[in-house]
Amino acid sequence: MDHRRPPSPSSQAAAADAPALTEPAWRGHAITPANLVLEGGAMRGQFTAGVLDYFMENRLFCERVIGVSAGALCGYNYVAGDLGRSCYLNVKYSDDWRYLSMRSFAYTGNACGREFVFDEIPNHLEPFNYEAFNTSPLTLVAVSSDLETGEADYHEFTDALADLPYLISSSSMPLVSQVVEIDGKHLLDGGTCDSVPVLYSLLTGAEKHIVVLTQAADYVKGAEKLMVLMRQRYGDHPYYVDRLQHRHFEYNRTYRALSRLHDEGRIFLIRPPEPVAISNMEKDLAKLMALYEQGYAEAMRLWPALQSYLEQ
C-alpha cells in the first residue's frame, strides 16, 4: 500500500494553525551555502539536536540538509527553524511507550510509533509549523534504504506533509518497523545503505560540508548480531540482505574516510568527544539531557574553527 495519502481533516486544520505557533529561527537571517550531513542513531540524535540548536542560536542555516534516520528527524525541525523541538520531544516523550519502544512494536508493528510520532504529536499535542518548513530557504534530503536495489534512496523534500512518508521510511529501523511503500519503492532506515552520506554531499557540487556524527572517534561497528533474523525477514530482498551483512565494513571505512577528509579541509567534522553510552530507546532523562548538552558544548567549542572553515 502506498503511504502517500492526503492528511486527515484534523491534520490539515492543525497545519493551517501552525504558523502562528512558531516563528522560524531562520527568518531574517542569511543562508550559508553549505551542506549539513546528519548521521542517525535513534536517541543518539540528542547529540545532533544540541549541535543544531547551537547553530540556530548563532544564525548558522545551511542551505541543504542531508539526514539519515534520527538525523533526518533533527533536520526536519532544523529546516523548519524550530529551535529546541528535537530535544524537547525526545525528553518529554521518551518514557511514553507510543513514542519509541518495544511495546509500540508489539502493538503497532513499529518501534517508532508512526501514528503517535508523525500525526498525534505534530498535529495535536505539539503542533509543527508546516508552513515554516514549506517556505524555508533550506532544503531537506532524507536518506532511506531501498530493499529492491540495496541502494540508498535520496529524497529531496518539497512539501512537509506530502513528503512525510520519506521521513518515516528514513527512521524505520530494520526488524522493528514495517516497510514503507511509496512511489513504487519499498523503503526502510537509511543507515543500512548510507549511514553518513558524505559522498552524496560531495557529489552535489557544494563547496562546504559540515558532518555531524553520533559516535566518538574510536567507535568501531561490529558485525550484525541478528543477521539470521535479518535473512529470514528480508530474504526476498537479496541485495538489501547483502548490505545488512556488510554494513559494518562500509560503516567503519566511512568513519576512517571522514577523519581524513576533515584533516584535508574538505569537510568539517563534529562528533561526540567521548563514547556515547545511551541505548537506542533510552529512557533516562539525565542521560538524554547530558548528551544534548554535550552536542551543544561541542558545537560551541568548535565554533571558531567552523567559522574559519566556512570563510576559506
Side-chain angles (χ1 to χ4, degrees):
M1 182 177 67
D2 198 304
H3 281 70
R4 191 189 295 277
R5 59 182 183 274
S8 66
S10 60
S11 298
Q12 291 176 320
D17 291 340
L21 300 176
T22 306
E23 180 73 9
W26 47 257
R27 180 160 291 161
H29 300 288
I31 305 305
T32 299
N35 286 353
L36 179 58
V37 180
L38 308 175
E39 184 183 9
M43 283 302 193
R44 294 200 314 273
Q46 278 290 90
F47 180 84
T48 304
V51 172
L52 298 190
D53 278 357
Y54 184 84
F55 283 2
M56 284 191 274
E57 286 184 357
N58 287 274
R59 310 300 183 242
L60 175 58
F61 300 101
C62 300
E63 64 180 354
R64 183 186 290 109
V65 184
I66 307 164
V68 183
S69 194
L73 295 173
C74 288
Y76 192 72
N77 293 324
Y78 176 79
V79 169
D82 205 335
L83 178 64
R85 183 179 179 90
S86 294
C87 177
Y88 171 75
L89 294 181
N90 282 340
V91 170
K92 180 173 181 178
Y93 295 103
S94 63
D95 201 35
D96 191 315
W97 70 268
R98 298 169 297 174
Y99 190 69
L100 180 62
S101 70
M102 290 307 295
R103 182 179 175 187
S104 174
F105 171 63
Y107 276 91
T108 70
N110 295 291
C112 180
R114 291 180 182 173
E115 289 189 10
F116 186 67
V117 173
F118 299 104
D119 183 14
E120 184 67 18
I121 288 178
N123 296 323
H124 304 286
L125 300 177
E126 317 285 348
F128 179 76
N129 193 336
Y130 294 100
E131 183 63 22
F133 184 99
N134 291 340
T135 59
S136 175
L138 317 181
T139 298
L140 175 66
V141 176
V143 183
S144 302
S145 294
D146 189 316
L147 274 64
E148 303 294 342
T149 66
E151 301 294 339
D153 179 270
Y154 307 94
H155 183 79
E156 184 173 309
F157 277 53
T158 58
D159 185 274
L161 276 171
D163 292 320
L164 193 60
Y166 284 96
L167 187 65
I168 296 173
S169 65
S170 182
S171 55
S172 294
M173 296 178 286
L175 291 183
V176 293
S177 304
Q178 296 172 337
V179 174
V180 174
E181 299 180 32
I182 179 71
D183 293 333
K185 296 176 285 191
H186 296 76
L187 306 177
L188 280 175
D189 192 303
T192 299
C193 292
D194 199 352
S195 297
V196 188
V198 66
L199 178 58
Y200 174 87
S201 184
L202 292 168
L203 291 174
T204 64
E207 294 186 0
K208 300 296 180 178
H209 311 264
I210 304 170
V211 180
V212 182
L213 303 180
T214 57
Q215 296 284 16
D218 60 353
Y219 177 77
V220 177
K221 181 177 285 296
E224 175 57 64
K225 297 179 180 178
L226 300 176
M227 200 61 222
V228 172
L229 294 178
M230 295 286 194
R231 287 186 180 280
Q232 292 176 346
R233 179 74 175 272
Y234 305 111
D236 291 338
H237 307 286
Y239 297 133
Y240 179 65
V241 170
D242 185 66
R243 297 304 294 271
L244 288 165
Q245 183 173 356
H246 296 95
R247 183 190 176 196
H248 60 297
F249 293 116
E250 297 178 7
Y251 187 91
N252 295 332
R253 180 170 175 263
T254 298
Y255 256 47
R256 294 193 298 270
L258 289 168
S259 295
R260 292 196 300 270
L261 291 169
H262 175 80
D263 292 342
E264 294 168 0
R266 297 179 62 189
I267 68 170
F268 192 90
L269 203 55
I270 301 177
R271 68 197 319 166
E274 59 188 41
V276 177
I278 69 171
S279 68
N280 284 344
M281 302 182 189
E282 187 63 62
K283 309 299 182 187
D284 189 316
L285 299 186
K287 289 183 178 180
L288 291 172
M289 282 306 303
L291 186 58
Y292 168 82
E293 291 167 0
Q294 186 182 75
Y296 188 96
E298 193 65 3
M300 181 187 298
R301 184 182 74 82
L302 294 173
W303 184 250
L306 174 57
Q307 292 298 103
S308 177
Y309 165 78
L310 292 173
E311 292 168 1
Q312 290 174 358

